[in-house]
Amino acid sequence: MKDRKIIFSGIQPSGDLTLGNYLGAIINWIPLQEEYNCIYSIVDLHALTVRQTPAELRKRTRSLLALYIACGLDPEKNILFVQSHNSAHAELAWILDCYTYMGELNRMTQFKEKAQKHAENINAGLFTYPVLMAADILLYQADMVPVGDDQRQHLEITRDIAQRFNNIYGDVFKVPEPYIPKVGARIMSLQEPEKKMSKSDENSNSYISLLDDPNVIIKKFKRAVTDSEVQVRYDVDNKPGISNLMSIYASVTGKSYEEIESEFEGKGYGDFKLAVGQVVADTLKPIQEKHKELMENKDYLDQIMKDGVERAGRLSYRTLRKVYKKIGLVPRP
Ligand code: TYM
């Protein structure tokens, strides 16, 4: 690998990828591949914290790899791999569990939300989820972690765990910085704009799947909940629906909110919603075509996974060995 700073991030294969995942995460990963050593994982072990159908999980894991590539991540320039293929993640997670406090994990808002949503399955994995995430990041000595706003708290706990460990054993882990975009870090539901857009939402009108048909995308934007005014204006508190559509439009086109306001001055919400739908459908079309083509090429995807985990494995075992040694585990003879 070239001597560059290291980036690590991941997405769970727990449902169709949404426009939120795309704008909050993937779209920002694309330019990074030119300047950093980037490692992107499909974090299937994290997905197990919610009950999955095995055949679907397998399919979605491959599909997510195909999407990474279809969105523009070059498998030569980036390390793309499946988390469960590298056992170092689960191993380091166990060690870090022993350096993380119950009280810290209890404060995680995502845990509280998920526990409420899956009241019938509040498993220990759901609780220790941020520790596995810390292991993902710290194994690679990542400098930066590009994520959406909802992962901010998990990044903070990762830093706390790393610092605590370093205070006891010396500089073992790089303490990573979050990298959160200014626009698009929190894409909201199209139906309830006070809520985050989520792939696990029961109402499929509330999110755009990256694999939605263009007509469906336009229809979903037409149905997006807005307010009773007529002016396209950015005001999150009073106009959450329109502001969310503006974030989406800004993120995809690169336009500023002022530019968007003047573009739609004197026009109604109908025109604006159609424009947002159209630009999103146009952006996703080539991605969908490429994804389809890749999904037909199983051998190619397998080869990428194989190369990816070999490269990831080498890097992570350096850290894992160091950790084992520092904490006093006897090296395997
Ligand atoms: P996940 O799979 O829920 O989401 C993947 C990425 O998409 C971002 N995101 C959003 N951004 C903007 N608006 C939204 N509505 C939206 N919904 C999701 C997330 O912030 C994330 O960047 N715990 C992580 C996965 C993970 C990880 C890691 C990430 C595991 N290990 C190590 C970074 C580093 C998660 O559940 O993401």
Side-chain angles (χ1 to χ4, degrees):
M1 284 217 301
K2 292 188 188 148
D3 191 20
R4 293 168 158 182
K5 286 198 168 176
I6 299 172
I7 301 269
F8 183 94
S9 198
I11 298 184
Q12 300 186 67
S14 54
D16 283 349
L17 229 60
T18 69
L19 191 62
N21 300 127
Y22 182 64
L23 300 178
I26 303 183
I27 207 174
N28 305 301
W29 299 356
I30 310 300
L32 296 173
Q33 62 192 338
E34 309 304 335
E35 283 174 56
Y36 297 91
N37 286 330
C38 303
I39 308 164
Y40 297 114
S41 186
I42 292 149
V43 289
D44 54 349
L45 296 176
H46 277 102
L48 301 178
T49 53
V50 174
R51 207 62 79 223
Q52 304 288 337
T53 308
E56 269 177 35
L57 178 60
R58 254 189 300 273
K59 186 164 170 235
R60 277 202 305 262
T61 300
R62 283 178 189 286
S63 172
L64 185 47
L65 175 64
L67 263 179
Y68 277 5
I69 303 167
C71 287
L73 291 177
D74 180 343
E76 301 276 322
K77 290 186 185 158
N78 304 274
I79 298 181
L80 309 178
F81 77 103
V82 176
Q83 183 190 33
S84 65
H85 291 175
N86 182 3
S87 59
H89 292 249
E91 290 179 63
L92 183 62
W94 168 253
I95 310 271
L96 298 183
D97 271 341
C98 304
Y99 294 82
T100 308
Y101 298 114
M102 301 282 283
E104 286 178 296
L105 292 172
N106 252 327
R107 284 198 292 274
M108 295 292 117
T109 49
Q110 196 152 320
F111 168 68
K112 290 186 211 163
E113 280 166 22
K114 285 199 181 167
Q116 220 171 28
K117 204 161 164 188
H118 304 279
E120 74 305 335
N121 182 19
I122 307 178
N123 59 70
L126 202 57
F127 189 64
T128 58
Y129 177 113
V131 186
L132 178 58
M133 179 160 163
D136 296 341
I137 298 166
L138 300 179
L139 266 179
Y140 299 93
Q141 307 289 347
D143 293 277
M144 266 184 356
V145 183
V147 282
D149 187 63
D150 61 341
Q151 297 301 317
R152 198 183 282 277
Q153 204 184 23
H154 291 161
L155 257 293
E156 274 161 25
I157 195 172
T158 299
R159 290 169 55 87
D160 290 344
I161 296 170
Q163 273 156 351
R164 180 172 309 138
F165 200 94
N166 287 350
N167 282 340
I168 310 175
Y169 302 106
D171 274 344
V172 177
F173 297 124
K174 182 100 200 190
V175 181
E177 299 287 337
Y179 177 83
I180 296 170
K182 287 197 184 69
V183 179
R186 202 171 181 79
I187 301 296
M188 310 309 276
S189 153
L190 298 182
Q191 291 299 314
E192 295 165 84
E194 306 73 30
K195 246 176 60 180
K196 189 181 78 167
M197 182 182 283
S198 162
K199 51 195 163 199
S200 56
D201 204 308
E202 277 137 33
N203 181 354
S204 67
N205 277 326
S206 72
Y207 61 85
I208 303 290
S209 155
L210 292 196
L211 300 176
D212 272 346
D213 231 47
N215 297 332
V216 174
I217 294 177
I218 290 175
K219 208 171 352 164
K220 285 184 181 176
F221 276 109
K222 271 193 191 156
R223 289 189 186 150
V225 169
T226 47
D227 51 72
S228 53
E229 284 185 25
V230 289
Q231 202 189 3
V232 175
R233 183 168 54 82
Y234 193 79
D235 178 349
V236 177
D237 294 333
N238 300 307
K239 298 163 76 69
I242 283 294
S243 303
N244 185 39
L245 297 182
M246 286 180 74
S247 302
I248 294 173
Y249 196 67
S251 234
V252 176
T253 60
K255 291 180 185 168
S256 69
Y257 294 140
E258 294 76 42
E259 284 170 320
I260 300 171
E261 283 168 2
S262 53
E263 185 177 344
F264 292 95
E265 199 169 342
K267 296 188 185 150
Y269 284 176
D271 285 352
F272 177 53
K273 287 179 177 178
L274 188 63
V276 183
Q278 196 66 56
V279 79
V280 170
D282 289 350
T283 304
L284 297 184
K285 191 156 174 268
I287 295 175
Q288 295 175 349
E289 284 166 1
K290 180 86 186 159
H291 174 264
K292 185 157 176 277
E293 188 189 310
L294 288 163
M295 286 303 279
E296 284 158 11
N297 199 343
K298 184 171 174 291
D299 292 348
Y300 175 71
L301 292 179
D302 281 353
Q303 191 58 45
I304 308 262
M305 283 192 224
K306 188 162 174 277
D307 290 350
V309 72
E310 269 166 21
R311 292 159 74 197
R314 272 198 296 278
L315 294 172
S316 57
Y317 273 97
R318 252 183 254 160
T319 304
L320 192 64
R321 265 200 303 274
K322 191 165 173 190
V323 168
Y324 276 19
K325 194 167 160 209
K326 290 276 186 186
I327 58 180
L329 302 182
V330 173
R332 187 168 153 175

